[in-house]
Amino acid sequence: MAGQQFQYDDSGNTFFYFLTSFVGLIVIPATYYLWPRDQNAEQLRLKSLRRVHGRCLWYRLRLMKSQFVLLSSALLFGWAVFLLLAYKVSKLDREYQEYNPYEVLNLDPGATLSEIKKQYHALSLKHHPDRGGDETTFMTIAKAYSALTNEQSRLNWEQYGNPDGQGATSFGIALPAWIVDQKNSMLVLLVYGLAFMVILPVVVGTWWYRSIRYSGDQILINTTQLFMHFMYKTPNMNMKRLTMVLTAAFEFDPRSNKEATIRPTDNVEVPQLIRELGNINVKKKEPPFCYPYSLKARVLLLSHLARMDVSEELEEDQRFVVRKSPALLQEMINVGCQLTMMANSRGGTRFHAPRLVTIENCMKLTQMTVQGLQESKSPLLQLPHFEEEHLRYCISKKYKVRTLQDLVSLKDSDRRSMLRFLGEEKYDEVMGVLGSFPHITMETKLQVLDDEDSHNITAGSIVTVTVTLTRKRMAELTNPPTTTTSTAAPAGKEEDDDVSDKGSESDEAEVNKDSHSERDEDSDKHSDTEVDEIAGDDEEKQEWWWLYIADRRDQTLVSMPYHVCTLKDTEEVELKFPAPSKTGNFQYSVILRSDSYLGLDQIKPLKLEVHEAKAMLDNHPQWDIPDTEEEDEEQEDSDGIEESEDEDEDD
């Protein structure tokens, strides 16, 4: 704008307006979304979980740490800052208020000239500097009198809002006044240079360097490469070898991960644990299994599975190892699937895919880690208050209880008689934990989509297996209605043939775990690990499943494992795979494995009858076009060309 003048407002008041607005934009929405609607909601939820999860470490930590207090304290502090800034802003001078000479002289708009002179005379006598008045106030009164009596001043006031004429527009920057003070210019310039030319590049560079070291699942790239190397080198990996590879991950190396620690006391405590554990391949010189960090992590993991007592310092390191292990095992499963797909794409020549037992051992080790239980132990040890000496009551000839399903299917009187070594309170706790375990039923449907006959499987066609998973709690089976009494039996008998993994894999049922991992009674979707030894954080373990199709005869994966993470009541999953290129009958298995429980895995047979693919027809009826139609089409095309040529000539 021509003739417009500007001057900088160096009072610094603009900064407080900006800061007040900024804090308000954060505090107000945060209060609306984060303030708990019911302060006792979390405590009530924890109270409802006490029967099942009262012995869990995460449960005790959650009781001690009130999230409401922390959150409400942060919000209250934000409101205190906001109100303080608002009070500060309210005390600032109103420098941009509209000038009104009538208000200055305490007159009503439209006052006569005599009233203006009379009021001016009274105020000037009161505020004249010679009579002890304030000079600034007197000048303001004189300026207002001039604006109402002088023609030019009145014109300037009406046009520009100022009796003195057009003034300068004042503006400010939302920064404290001392930053733009000329005396501090060199200091401010130095700080800006340090912030934008040194600190910012260093922060961005450090973030970038750290981020490129991790995969999308926050696993170190070096660890993924390590897993790929050993899974390719050892396609058939037993549990002992798998444990060694797992604990060789760079996440446990202090040089790659600052969370990992090597303590001076490890030289005394780790060898002592090695002697108690027995043979754990300590003398193996193959790197990186012989490195101190790998040996320590392996000892801590094995002592966790053996439920051995460790010192307080080692217990902290053990929790770190156990907390990291499930994610690392999932990465090993992903690596195994990638190698399998690579082998399939190359036809299996010169490329050995990991065997099915290797991938399944990763899943088993995840269950064992979550529950803190060795592979050979009884699944009944998942229940609280169960010890090795108590198992003899269960496996006696009278009861023959070896699995959780067997325990559920017992009559109440027989169950109470068998568990007579438990008091009433402990028995109720055992039944609460047992009832929180999931009971999954699995139904499959086989078809070939996008085909004329969806039930006819031909060589090379894409087969779709639709698996419907239905989840219930075992509490619904312990005391079922008379009409559904038979539903408890399939868990032990019927499922031996087609559904359960207990019959065809009774050894895996033995691999079960110490279920200090329980299910939230209020949330059918989440599973909370109750094992005190592994609950290193204030977190509740979630119950997930792997679903896949395998050829157990050839020990190969047919479809890649699908991670079921949202199973609440019912979920439908589609598994797709190419049918064999040869005709004949094939026997596959649809397998469901838990990542949190031992002994609840299921296997359902899948029979595949592959037929010869139909030959492609060279002359299909719909392709036969009569000669007359072809001649008509050619004639129409030629007519169209002639018409276009005539139009061009006319133009």
Side-chain angles (χ1 to χ4, degrees), residues 367 382 437-438 513 517 519 527 543 594-598 600:
Q367 301 171 352
Q382 296 179 107
F437 277 76
K513 45 195 162 195
S517 172
R519 233 187 119 73
S527 162
E543 173 193 304
S594 171
D595 76 333
S596 303
Y597 304 100
L598 283 163
L600 300 185

Side-chain angles (χ1 to χ4, degrees), residues 558-572:
V558 176
S559 72
M560 297 302 107
Y562 180 87
H563 217 178
V564 182
C565 304
T566 57
L567 178 58
K568 184 178 180 181
D569 296 316
T570 302
E571 185 163 346
E572 192 174 272

Side-chain angles (χ1 to χ4, degrees), residues 488-502:
K493 306 294 184 189
E494 288 182 14
E495 292 182 359
D496 283 346
D497 297 331
D498 56 19
V499 177
S500 176
D501 192 9
K502 292 82 112 178

Side-chain angles (χ1 to χ4, degrees), residues 444-485:
T444 59
K445 180 180 179 183
L446 185 67
Q447 56 185 336
V448 179
L449 301 179
D450 301 328
D451 203 346
E452 295 179 356
D453 186 359
S454 61
H455 299 288
N456 183 30
I457 301 174
T458 58
S461 61
I462 302 299
V463 181
T464 301
V465 178
T466 304
V467 183
T468 303
L469 302 175
T470 303
R471 187 192 187 284
K472 295 182 180 180
R473 296 167 59 244
M474 284 195 179
E476 302 176 32
L477 306 178
T478 52
N479 292 300
T482 55
T483 56
T484 60
T485 318

Side-chain angles (χ1 to χ4, degrees), residues 388-455:
E388 289 280 354
E389 59 269 19
H390 298 148
L391 296 179
R392 60 189 178 90
Y393 298 105
C394 303
I395 62 177
S396 62
K397 293 182 179 180
K398 181 178 180 180
Y399 300 109
K400 297 180 181 180
V401 173
R402 297 181 180 274
T403 66
L404 297 172
Q405 293 81 2
D406 294 340
L407 183 59
V408 168
S409 61
L410 278 181
K411 296 180 180 179
D412 288 342
S413 57
D414 293 341
R415 189 188 305 115
R416 188 66 188 95
S417 176
M418 184 186 70
L419 302 180
R420 58 186 178 277
F421 57 87
L422 297 175
E424 288 298 329
E425 184 178 352
K426 291 184 177 180
Y427 178 79
D428 290 341
E429 185 175 347
V430 167
M431 293 308 299
V433 171
L434 180 64
S436 69
F437 277 76
H439 178 267
I440 310 296
T441 56
M442 183 169 57
E443 298 179 359
T444 59
K445 180 180 179 183
L446 185 67
Q447 56 185 336
V448 179
L449 301 179
D450 301 328
D451 203 346
E452 295 179 356
D453 186 359
S454 61
H455 299 288

Side-chain angles (χ1 to χ4, degrees), residues 11 43 59 64 90 101 120 193 219 257 318 320 335 379 410 430 452-453 534 552 557 572 583 592 614:
S11 64
Q43 295 298 325
Y59 183 88
M64 294 180 353
S90 67
Y120 169 70
I219 303 296
N257 187 1
Q318 186 184 62
F320 168 73
V335 168
L410 278 181
V430 167
E452 295 179 356
D453 186 359
I534 87 168
R552 303 186 68 82
L557 280 174
E572 192 174 272
T583 60
L592 178 71
K614 295 181 180 179

Side-chain angles (χ1 to χ4, degrees), residues 537-580:
D537 288 341
D538 185 12
E539 297 178 356
E540 302 175 34
K541 174 68 177 68
Q542 308 304 320
E543 173 193 304
W544 292 345
W545 304 82
W546 289 291
L547 181 65
Y548 57 98
I549 301 175
D551 187 343
R552 303 186 68 82
R553 177 180 172 183
D554 293 340
Q555 282 291 301
T556 56
L557 280 174
V558 176
S559 72
M560 297 302 107
Y562 180 87
H563 217 178
V564 182
C565 304
T566 57
L567 178 58
K568 184 178 180 181
D569 296 316
T570 302
E571 185 163 346
E572 192 174 272
V573 179
E574 288 187 353
L575 302 176
K576 297 185 178 182
F577 63 94

